[in-house]
Amino acid sequence: MSSVEGAVSAVPAPTRRAVRRSRDDVVRVAGRLFAERGFHGTSMRDLGDELGLLGSSLYAHIGSKNELLVEIIEEGAGLFQSLADQVAASGTAPREQLRRLVVGHVAIVTDNLDRAATLLNEGRHLPEGDRGRIVAMRDRYQDAYRTVLAGGIAAGDFRAGLDVHVAATFVLSLLNALDRWYDPAGARQPEAIAELLFDFVVRGLEP
Amino acid sequence: MSSVEGAVSAVPAPTRRAVRRSRDDVVRVAGRLFAERGFHGTSMRDLGDELGLLGSSLYAHIGSKNELLVEIIEEGAGLFQSLADQVAASGTAPREQLRRLVVGHVAIVTDNLDRAATLLNEGRHLPEGDRGRIVAMRDRYQDAYRTVLAGGIAAGDFRAGLDVHVAATFVLSLLNALDRWYDPAGARQPEAIAELLFDFVVRGLEP
DNA sequence: CCTACCGATCGGTAGG
DNA sequence: CCTACCGATCGGTAGG
């Protein structure tokens, strides 16, 4: 019943058929490759291979390779921005705001490892015209930490002598290293990691 | 007295003469460009431009672009290795050993910003055959921190409940972020930065 | 999404 | 260290 189609044909079946991918597929896989191999270490043909189509076919979905980088990074930066806005609007005490920042940051990184890694490591390859906008988002995010730390000092939760610039740099150093060692297959859950980080950070900040 | 040479000549002086550079010049400038633009974002012609010669002329000094990357990273890793060995051989108390690791690490990074940045960010682009060797050096360096932390717990200087793997990761997260924010033109000296870091870290570790 | 390209640039070599 | 190249690969386009 099933022998006619292929058995007599001398023409071998194509090893791969044309596939249909969405724009989101392209952006998502690009994020993974940029994170793994770097922006300049990833060719459009590499990206096509990973999606099962030709490099040139990608241009049915996107305008340019740079566009992919900008979109991935801007989306990532937007996630952190939203977190900071939400925490600031919560009206909770500074120490609790810092806890929410840490927990939220860890959640964003662990849920978006590729995007976070691309944001942190490939930002320098952004086109001139887009870089300023994204640097401004990063600066605003750092400012959120400084504000919370300053509030905590005023409330007496954190040391009076603390330099908020330095302290914010230290806290973000810890948070921004997460993408380098977090293992999704590891035993420790994101919430547990966030707790360890918050505990370590608060000890460093307390009077 | 000085008008004869150039005034009558119809042949314009060459805008740039051939220059003589040492192999060390090539390696040093490559380190800077790899740090600034990434390994794949730097072409041999870029590197030649920066040195005042052609990209193809670089091959009088080196065998390949990969060789440059391996050399820069391996030298950098060697500096951290030496620090760890020296501290381990000092025979001082664990807490003091940690202090020396922090101070030494900061000194290496601030004295070798380009090499440190290349080591941290471009290591994934190492050729297969060299990667294992350098990953092993990094692992040994992390082990030095774990050993010191375990010693500090045994001595009662650090919290008994501390997970030395996690704690070492946190300490190295702080140290390895330094190349991203240290400003050689800034007011804070490396020694002052090391002190702030050590203070923050010890607070996070103490009982 | 593929076929069939394009000019530009890549790392690298031979010979001086 | 330069001249004069090389084959391979790059991002991207026209037309279907």
Side-chain angles (χ1 to χ4, degrees):
Chain A
M1 284 144 114
S2 62
S3 61
V4 179
E5 272 188 30
V8 245
S9 170
V11 184
T15 52
R16 201 174 65 195
R17 299 193 153 278
V19 284
R20 282 281 153 187
R21 315 244 77 139
S22 70
R23 189 170 193 288
D24 273 2
D25 290 332
V26 176
V27 176
R28 184 173 36 76
V29 174
R32 181 163 58 79
L33 293 191
F34 292 170
E36 284 172 5
R37 312 176 188 179
F39 179 66
H40 287 306
T42 304
S43 76
M44 295 305 277
R45 286 160 179 86
D46 290 341
L47 179 51
D49 283 349
E50 210 75 13
L51 286 157
L53 42 83
L54 296 178
S56 58
S57 300
L58 295 166
Y59 292 88
H61 297 290
I62 55 144
S64 72
K65 191 187 180 189
N66 275 338
E67 179 187 312
L68 279 173
L69 183 67
V70 172
E71 187 161 327
I72 292 160
I73 290 186
E74 201 152 20
E75 277 181 21
L79 295 174
F80 291 110
Q81 205 69 249
S82 302
L83 169 65
D85 291 344
Q86 190 187 311
V87 168
S90 71
T92 55
R95 195 192 136 108
E96 169 62 13
Q97 290 202 15
L98 180 61
R99 197 189 64 78
R100 294 188 186 194
L101 283 174
V102 171
V103 171
H105 188 106
V106 170
I108 291 171
V109 171
T110 56
D111 285 347
N112 304 271
L113 258 188
D114 297 331
R115 228 175 305 191
T118 300
L119 168 64
L120 284 167
N121 302 320
E122 307 302 317
R124 62 181 161 184
H125 298 121
L126 285 166
E128 275 300 341
D130 300 277
R131 184 152 40 223
R133 201 170 65 252
I134 287 157
V135 167
M137 293 177 82
R138 194 199 58 188
D139 288 348
R140 262 194 60 204
Y141 188 62
Q142 294 181 337
D143 248 339
Y145 282 79
R146 293 193 197 108
T147 302
V148 166
L149 290 171
I153 294 169
D157 284 339
F158 304 144
R159 261 184 291 155
L162 220 57
D163 180 312
V164 292
H165 268 77
V166 171
T169 300
F170 287 178
V171 174
L172 283 164
S173 292
L174 284 161
L175 295 179
N176 284 333
L178 181 56
D179 74 283
R180 299 195 179 202
W181 61 269
Y182 172 67
D183 175 11
R188 236 178 285 267
Q189 297 301 115
E191 300 77 30
I193 291 171
E195 195 184 320
L196 287 166
L197 277 166
F198 181 66
D199 178 66
F200 186 80
V201 157
V202 162
R203 284 173 181 270
L205 300 173
E206 277 174 346
Chain B
M1 287 148 112
S2 62
S3 61
V4 180
E5 271 188 28
V8 244
S9 170
V11 184
T15 52
R16 200 175 65 195
R17 300 195 151 275
V19 285
R20 282 280 154 186
R21 316 245 75 139
S22 70
R23 189 169 193 287
D24 273 2
D25 290 333
V26 175
V27 177
R28 185 174 34 77
V29 173
R32 180 164 58 80
L33 293 191
F34 292 170
E36 284 172 5
R37 313 176 188 178
F39 179 67
H40 287 306
T42 304
S43 76
M44 295 305 277
R45 285 160 179 84
D46 289 343
L47 180 51
D49 283 347
E50 209 76 13
L51 286 156
L53 42 83
L54 295 179
S56 57
S57 302
L58 294 167
Y59 292 88
H61 297 289
I62 55 144
S64 71
K65 190 187 180 189
N66 276 337
E67 179 187 313
L68 279 173
L69 182 66
V70 171
E71 187 161 327
I72 292 160
I73 290 186
E74 200 152 19
E75 278 181 20
L79 295 174
F80 292 110
Q81 205 68 250
S82 301
L83 169 64
D85 291 344
Q86 190 187 311
V87 168
S90 72
T92 55
R95 196 191 135 108
E96 170 62 15
Q97 290 202 16
L98 181 61
R99 196 189 64 79
R100 294 187 185 194
L101 283 174
V102 171
V103 171
H105 188 107
V106 170
I108 291 171
V109 171
T110 55
D111 285 346
N112 304 271
L113 257 188
D114 297 332
R115 229 176 304 192
T118 301
L119 168 64
L120 284 166
N121 302 319
E122 306 303 316
R124 62 180 161 184
H125 298 122
L126 285 166
E128 275 299 343
D130 301 277
R131 184 151 41 221
R133 202 170 63 252
I134 287 156
V135 167
M137 293 177 82
R138 193 199 59 188
D139 288 348
R140 262 193 61 203
Y141 188 62
Q142 293 182 337
D143 248 339
Y145 282 80
R146 293 192 198 108
T147 302
V148 166
L149 290 171
I153 294 170
D157 284 339
F158 303 145
R159 260 185 292 155
L162 220 57
D163 180 312
V164 292
H165 268 76
V166 170
T169 299
F170 287 178
V171 174
L172 283 164
S173 292
L174 284 161
L175 295 179
N176 284 333
L178 181 56
D179 74 283
R180 300 195 178 202
W181 62 268
Y182 172 67
D183 176 11
R188 234 178 286 270
Q189 298 301 115
E191 300 76 31
I193 291 171
E195 194 183 320
L196 287 166
L197 277 167
F198 180 66
D199 179 67
F200 186 81
V201 157
V202 163
R203 285 172 180 271
L205 300 174
E206 277 174 344

